[in-house]
C-alpha cells in the first residue's frame, strides 16, 4: 500500500517536473541586460550612471547582493558612478560556481577591472556584507570604504554533508518549483522583511520569483548548503582597517539589530538605524541609505582627484 502510494506520488512528481520544465530558462532569456562576461561568467549588473536617485535605487537594486560606487569630483560637486552586480546564484548572473566568498571576491575584482573601477566604496546587503568585509580583509589597499546594510558578516555553520545528497530526485525539484512560484510564500516572506509595505502587486511578486527560475539555480543552492552562512568571526572583523559604516533597519527580524551593533563595534564603524525599515531596508528607506552612503563616500573623497 505505502509502496504503491510512493510510486504514484513519484510518478506525479516526475510528470509535474516535466510540465514545468519550460519555466526554467537561461538568464539571458529572462533579463534584458546589461550583461558583461568576467571571470568566465556572464554577469548581470545595473548602473545608475552618475547620480544617486533614491527611488530608482530601490526599484532596480534591491535584488543584488553587492553594489559598487566609484566616487569622483566634478565641477558641479560630488557624484557617483553606481554599479550593482548579481552575485551567483542570485539575480540573473550565470549559475557557475564556486559559490564561496573567495569565488565572489574574484568575480568582484574582475568586474572592477573590466570597468576600470579603482578604490570604490563597496556596499553589501545581507550576505553581501560578508563579501565587502572579505574584500577589505584580503585586499585592504583597494576599497576606499565598505558599507554593510542589514548584514553582520558573521559566519554560521553549514548543513550536514549528507543533506545535499538527500535533496535530490524529482521530489525535491517539485517542492522547489512549487515553493519558488508561490505568491503566498513570497508575500509571507516579503511582509516580514518589508514592514509597512504597499500592496504587493503581481508584477512586484514576479520580480522576486523570476530569478529562481534561472537555469542552474536549484543545483547552485543545493551546493551552497555545505558552506552555511558564509562570513567571519568577530575577531576577524576587528582586523579590518578599511573605513566602514553599518546601516540597519530598525525592524529587521531576519538579522537582529543587536547583531548589527556588534559588527559595527568590531569594525569600529558608525551604526545608523533606519527608522521603520526591515531587512529589505533598500525598499523601505532608499533615500536614507542613499544619503548615508553619499555622506560616507564624501568623507572618503580625496581632494586631489581631478574633475
Amino acid at each position: 500500500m505505502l509502496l504503491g502510494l510512493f510510486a504514484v506520488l513519484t510518478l506525479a512528481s516526475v510528470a509535474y517536473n516535466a510540465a514545468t520544465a519550460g519555466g526554467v530558462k537561461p538568464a539571458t532569456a529572462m533579463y534584458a541586460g546589461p550583461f558583461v562576461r568576467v571571470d568566465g561568467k556572464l554577469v548581470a549588473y545595473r548602473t545608475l550612471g552618475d547620480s544617486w536617485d533614491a527611488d530608482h535605487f530601490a526599484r532596480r537594486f534591491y535584488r543584488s547582493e553587492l553594489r559598487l560606487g566609484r566616487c569622483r569630483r566634478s565641477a558641479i560637486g560630488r557624484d557617483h558612478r553606481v554599479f550593482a552586480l548579481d552575485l551567483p546564484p542570485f539575480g540573473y548572473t550565470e549559475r557557475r560556481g564556486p559559490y564561496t566568498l573567495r569565488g565572489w571576491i574574484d568575480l568582484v575584482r574582475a568586474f572592477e577591472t573590466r570597468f576600470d573601477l579603482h578604490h570604490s566604496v563597496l556596499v553589501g546587503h545581507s550576505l553581501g556584507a560578508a563579501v565587502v568585509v572579505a574584500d577589505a580583509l584580503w585586499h585592504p589597499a583597494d576599497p576606499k570604504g565598505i558599507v554593510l546594510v542589514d548584514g553582520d558578516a558573521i559566519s554560521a555553520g553549514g548543513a550536514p554533508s549528507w543533506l545535499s545528497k538527500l535533496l535530490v530526485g524529482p521530489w525535491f525539484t517539485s517542492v522547489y518549483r512549487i515553493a519558488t512560484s508561490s505568491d503566498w510564500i513570497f508575500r509571507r516572506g516579503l511582509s516580514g522583511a518589508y514592514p509597512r509595505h504597499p500592496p504587493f502587486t503581481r508584477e512586484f511578486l514576479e520580480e522576486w520569483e523570476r530569478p529562481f527560475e534561472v537555469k542552474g539555480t536549484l543545483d547552485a543552492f543545493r551546493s551552497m548548503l555545505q558552506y552555511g552562512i558564509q562570513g567571519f568571526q568577530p575577531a576577524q572583523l576587528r582586523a579590518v582597517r578599511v573605513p566602514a559604516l553599518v546601516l540597519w533597519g530598525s525592524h529587521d527580524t531576519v538579522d537582529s539589530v543587536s547583531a548589527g551593533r556588534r559588527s559595527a563595534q568590531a569594525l569600529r564603524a558608525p551604526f545608523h538605524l533606519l527608522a521603520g525599515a526591515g531587512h529589505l531596508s533598500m525598499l523601505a528607506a532608499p533615500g536614507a541609505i542613499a544619503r548615508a552612503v553619499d555622506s560616507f563616500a564624501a568623507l572618503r573623497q580625496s581632494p586631489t582627484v581631478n574633475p
Side-chain angles (χ1 to χ4, degrees):
M1 179 72 175
L2 290 178
L3 183 60
L5 178 61
F6 177 81
V8 169
L9 291 176
T10 299
L11 288 173
S13 178
V14 170
Y16 173 82
N17 295 341
T20 57
V24 180
K25 301 175 182 177
T28 51
M30 308 181 76
Y31 174 59
F35 289 94
V36 62
R37 187 165 292 280
V38 295
D39 196 32
K41 303 178 183 68
L42 196 61
V43 176
Y45 71 98
R46 301 155 187 81
T47 179
L48 285 186
D50 297 317
S51 65
W52 279 98
D53 179 313
D55 291 334
H56 201 200
F57 176 84
R59 287 197 303 271
R60 297 186 63 185
F61 280 16
Y62 59 79
R63 269 195 314 268
S64 298
E65 288 298 316
L66 187 76
R67 293 151 193 98
L68 296 143
R70 182 186 182 188
C71 306
R72 67 171 190 255
R73 190 170 296 278
S74 69
I76 59 174
R78 286 179 290 105
D79 59 12
H80 311 270
R81 290 174 62 200
V82 183
F83 293 84
L85 59 150
D86 293 344
L87 298 180
F90 305 99
Y92 295 104
T93 289
E94 184 181 7
R95 302 321 193 224
R96 289 185 60 189
Y99 308 108
T100 61
L101 278 177
R102 184 66 67 178
W104 290 325
I105 288 298
D106 289 345
L107 180 62
V108 170
R109 290 177 62 76
F111 186 93
E112 290 180 309
T113 299
R114 175 66 175 78
F115 286 96
D116 194 28
L117 300 173
H118 305 286
H119 303 298
S120 302
V121 171
L122 293 128
V123 184
H125 169 256
S126 193
L127 178 60
V131 179
V132 301
V133 168
D135 195 81
L137 279 171
W138 299 339
H139 306 284
D142 286 352
K144 187 174 293 185
I146 60 173
V147 182
L148 286 65
V149 182
D150 293 298
D152 61 10
I154 300 299
S155 62
S161 58
W162 52 263
L163 184 58
S164 60
K165 296 181 177 63
L166 179 65
L167 300 178
V168 296
W171 288 73
F172 180 61
T173 300
S174 297
V175 170
Y176 173 84
R177 290 183 182 175
I178 292 170
T180 56
S181 62
S182 168
D183 287 357
W184 181 84
I185 289 176
F186 275 85
R187 281 197 181 94
R188 288 292 299 267
L190 289 168
S191 295
Y194 186 10
R196 304 176 187 174
H197 58 81
F200 291 146
T201 64
R202 183 73 193 95
E203 180 183 12
F204 179 87
L205 293 172
E206 283 181 348
E207 285 193 68
W208 285 89
E209 295 168 12
R210 198 175 301 122
F212 290 95
E213 298 173 1
V214 172
K215 183 179 179 181
T217 304
L218 173 59
D219 289 337
F221 283 138
R222 184 161 44 209
S223 72
M224 285 180 65
L225 288 173
Q226 61 185 302
Y227 305 116
I229 298 174
Q230 299 178 62
F232 300 92
Q233 295 303 309
Q236 294 172 294
L237 266 59
R238 288 192 284 272
V240 171
R241 293 295 177 262
V242 173
L245 170 68
V246 179
L247 305 175
W248 215 270
S250 61
H251 298 302
D252 191 340
T253 57
V254 177
D255 291 309
S256 68
V257 172
S258 60
R261 291 189 187 277
R262 285 193 295 271
S263 290
Q265 183 178 21
L267 291 165
R268 300 172 301 283
F271 179 82
H272 294 171
L273 273 181
L274 303 166
H279 189 66
L280 297 176
S281 54
M282 309 88 74
L283 292 177
I289 292 178
R291 289 188 294 271
V293 175
D294 183 71
S295 297
F296 178 74
L299 292 175
R300 314 274 79 77
Q301 187 73 39
S302 170
T304 62
V305 174
N306 294 323

